[in-house]
Amino acid sequence: MKKVSLYIGLALFFAFTSCTEYLDVKDKGQVIPETAEEFSALIHNHLRNIDEGNDYAILGAYTTTVSYEGYSDNLDGDLNTTDRVPLYVGTDINSMTTRYGTLYSVIKDCNIILDNLEDQTSELGKKTMAIAYALRGICYYNLMRAYCEPYDKAKVSTMNGVPLVVTFDMEGKPARSTMQETIDFIINDLTTAIKMNQADKQYRFDVNVMKFYLARTYFWTQEWELAAATAKEVLDVYPLVKGEEYVAMMQSEVDQKGNELLRSGIKKHLGYTDLEFGYVQGRPVSQGLIDLFTEKENDIRFDLFFTKKLLNRKALRSVIRSAEMCLIMAESYAHLNNTKDALYYLNLIRSHRISPYTDYTESSLPVVDQNALIQTDATGKALTPLLAAILNERRKEFYMENGDRWFELKRNGCPEFWWGYAGVKYETQKFLYTFPLPKSDIALNPALEQNPGYDVY
């Protein structure tokens, strides 16, 4: 069967004109800003979109979270009763065209600042430069994670990265960089931003948020020592919370609380996600996720996240919080064969969620579930009990957040699965974890190489 036959609506996807502005320079009628205030306004436009929950590319809105969760195996597809939550990534691929273009649009604004802002000594000028570097690095991280194949250390110098648009006044149409070139560019932007030590939280992307994304980048690219060290810097500033403080943070629909570093929609009014709860509850939580809560009577997350009918009740939002850093440290140490520290950070987060609690030891770790969807780790090796426990803890902790489960599936082997619904088999094949580059961009720039699996329409 041709791969294209697995898609529903791909023809419609390519009927739309994609956003090619990422290669267009100096639109006629547009004037380059002159003052630091004018350059800063470019940044504030994107920050305002995040605050108002209207950003779908940088941090993502809560509806982005719902879509990614719909693609994954956290919600049951066989018992689906709603068409508002995507059942299958192929039916929602159109939105990826807009997201790809939006990310390059943000990059364009960052390049305008980095190329043209002369006032780099005033406080406003330094803040604006730092955030421009940070946002550009984050956008390229998002592009790499979504539009490049999963990281492979053996192929990093030859596998495709993304087109690197490095200046606003760029001539020509860049081809795709290598994965290594993309990674190096992201790390350089983020480390440059971090050195500027932007500490004003009113600008949302302060130095700790930048370190958060740098830790994510090291983690995705299997730089385990650097990932653990960078994550620790964030966790030291934003230690884990538990008990009532954790409940308040997780139930908050608008306010940023606890160990959250950044969240979408903080300027929204209460109740703005109410309708989405109804949509999401059209799909029960998958039994595979429920079964991971073996200590559910003592685990504060179980009743907080699920109704008695096993429907979602976790507050919908898009957010980054330092619990992710704790689990990055646990997994990184496991890959480094440092079992002691891996267990320490695994037990640290579990002890903040389960009461009463007994630490895992190497001998008391659960056996690997041979029926679980993920069977190999990020390096392609069979899961050990320690790595399986860490991945399971991450799945529980970040259910219904940031598309975490979808990208964890991609990072750990791209396992294939399917749902049967209304007489149709919806199959998520391996190539679908990597989204296609817009076809119209490739038509304009033949140097661009499409991702595997999308060459037959």
Side-chain angles (χ1 to χ4, degrees):
M1 180 183 295
K2 292 182 178 180
K3 290 179 179 178
V4 71
S5 66
L6 300 173
Y7 266 91
I8 297 175
L10 262 185
L12 292 175
F13 164 60
F14 291 115
F16 288 93
T17 300
S18 73
C19 180
T20 60
E21 284 79 2
Y22 80 99
L23 290 175
D24 296 338
V25 296
K26 293 190 176 179
D27 295 335
K28 294 178 180 178
Q30 291 187 346
V31 179
I32 299 295
E34 296 181 355
T35 67
E37 288 77 9
E38 291 173 348
F39 281 104
S40 179
L42 291 175
I43 292 294
H44 281 289
N45 179 54
H46 301 299
L47 303 184
R48 183 174 60 253
N49 285 339
I50 293 172
D51 287 352
E52 295 177 353
N54 297 324
D55 159 59
Y56 297 94
I58 304 171
L59 180 61
Y62 74 93
T63 50
T64 311
T65 293
V66 171
S67 293
Y68 276 123
E69 203 71 2
Y71 313 149
S72 81
D73 61 336
N74 276 348
L75 300 177
D76 197 322
D78 294 327
L79 302 176
N80 181 47
T81 62
T82 178
D83 59 359
R84 303 300 295 268
V85 180
L87 184 66
Y88 161 67
V89 65
T91 63
D92 201 41
I93 208 76
N94 290 347
S95 65
M96 303 310 163
T97 312
T98 302
R99 199 167 301 163
Y100 180 89
T102 301
L103 285 164
Y104 275 107
S105 180
V106 178
I107 289 168
K108 179 187 70 174
D109 287 347
C110 293
N111 285 338
I112 290 173
I113 294 167
L114 298 174
D115 286 352
N116 297 282
L117 177 57
E118 295 181 359
D119 176 11
Q120 299 181 22
T121 57
S122 70
E123 285 302 310
L124 180 58
K126 288 189 287 187
K127 289 177 184 178
T128 303
M129 289 290 290
I131 296 168
Y133 274 116
L135 280 182
R136 189 172 70 173
I138 290 167
C139 286
Y140 276 119
Y141 165 80
N142 289 341
L143 285 164
M144 174 185 68
R145 192 171 65 151
Y147 299 93
C148 296
E149 293 181 276
Y151 180 82
D152 185 335
K153 188 176 289 289
K155 301 177 181 178
V156 67
S157 297
T158 57
M159 63 190 301
N160 276 328
V162 296
L164 293 176
V165 184
V166 300
T167 180
F168 176 58
D169 196 16
M170 190 166 187
E171 297 293 335
K173 299 175 179 179
R176 298 182 71 162
S177 64
T178 67
M179 176 68 87
Q180 187 64 63
E181 289 169 338
T182 297
I183 293 166
D184 291 344
F185 194 87
I186 295 166
I187 291 172
N188 183 68
D189 268 3
L190 292 175
T191 53
T192 299
I194 288 167
K195 289 175 183 176
M196 295 180 177
N197 199 31
Q198 199 297 104
D200 189 346
K201 294 184 180 180
Q202 294 298 315
Y203 280 71
R204 305 298 181 248
F205 290 84
D206 68 2
V207 65
N208 290 303
V209 174
M210 298 171 190
K211 289 179 179 179
F212 188 103
Y213 277 96
L214 182 60
R216 275 185 165 182
T217 303
Y218 286 141
F219 185 65
W220 188 266
T221 59
Q222 299 176 21
E223 294 288 351
W224 308 119
E225 291 185 1
L226 291 170
T230 309
K232 187 177 187 305
E233 291 184 31
V234 179
L235 188 61
D236 285 347
V237 178
Y238 288 85
L240 299 179
V241 297
K242 61 181 178 180
E244 292 182 2
E245 189 175 2
Y246 177 75
V247 171
M249 176 180 68
M250 301 309 294
Q251 288 183 330
S252 173
E253 187 182 9
V254 176
D255 295 334
Q256 184 172 311
K257 295 186 176 184
N259 56 15
E260 295 176 341
L261 283 77
L262 179 68
R263 70 177 297 168
S264 172
I266 61 173
K267 291 188 177 178
K268 283 288 189 179
H269 57 81
L270 292 175
Y272 83 109
T273 65
D274 281 355
L275 289 176
E276 289 294 331
F277 273 106
Y279 301 149
V280 174
Q281 289 184 346
R283 287 178 61 180
V285 179
S286 72
Q287 191 62 47
L289 175 56
I290 294 297
D291 289 344
L292 294 181
F293 287 86
T294 56
E295 302 142 300
K296 62 183 179 182
E297 295 83 3
N298 302 325
D299 194 321
I300 195 171
R301 295 169 295 193
F302 192 78
D303 289 336
L304 193 61
F305 292 178
F306 315 121
T307 70
K308 292 189 181 301
K309 294 183 178 180
L310 302 183
L311 302 175
N312 176 69
R313 71 160 152 220
K314 185 175 181 180
L316 303 179
R317 71 265 174 84
S318 188
V319 63
I320 59 172
R321 52 192 180 90
S322 63
E324 184 177 341
M325 300 292 99
C326 185
L327 286 164
I328 280 179
M329 294 175 72
E331 183 174 341
S332 295
Y333 284 127
H335 283 292
L336 292 168
N337 296 315
N338 183 343
T339 301
K340 178 182 176 182
D341 285 339
L343 279 170
Y344 174 81
Y345 286 102
L346 173 60
N347 285 321
L348 179 63
I349 193 167
R350 285 173 54 79
S351 67
H352 281 67
R353 306 290 178 259
I354 300 168
S355 180
Y357 174 71
T358 302
D359 277 350
Y360 276 148
T361 65
E362 194 171 1
S363 61
S364 69
L365 287 165
V367 298
V368 177
D369 180 3
Q370 298 303 318
N371 294 316
L373 198 53
I374 293 177
Q375 290 294 317
T376 61
D377 66 22
T379 69
K381 297 177 182 178
L383 286 182
T384 63
L386 177 56
L387 273 171
I390 294 168
L391 294 181
N392 288 341
E393 200 60 39
R394 180 163 185 151
R395 185 181 181 187
K396 289 188 289 183
E397 181 71 17
F398 294 111
Y399 156 74
M400 201 61 73
E401 285 190 46
N402 308 326
D404 193 80
R405 177 61 176 175
W406 172 256
F407 287 108
E408 281 296 282
L409 292 173
K410 178 174 182 176
R411 191 175 66 88
N412 294 284
C414 297
E416 299 185 342
F417 64 102
W418 60 274
W419 302 114
Y421 176 67
V424 178
K425 183 179 181 180
Y426 295 84
E427 185 176 9
T428 298
Q429 286 195 320
K430 188 171 184 175
F431 79 98
L432 290 172
Y433 285 97
T434 301
F435 302 141
L437 273 59
K439 187 176 182 181
S440 56
D441 285 347
I442 294 175
L444 287 169
N445 182 9
L448 290 180
E449 183 178 341
Q450 183 58 280
N451 287 321
Y454 301 97
D455 53 350
V456 180
Y457 307 123

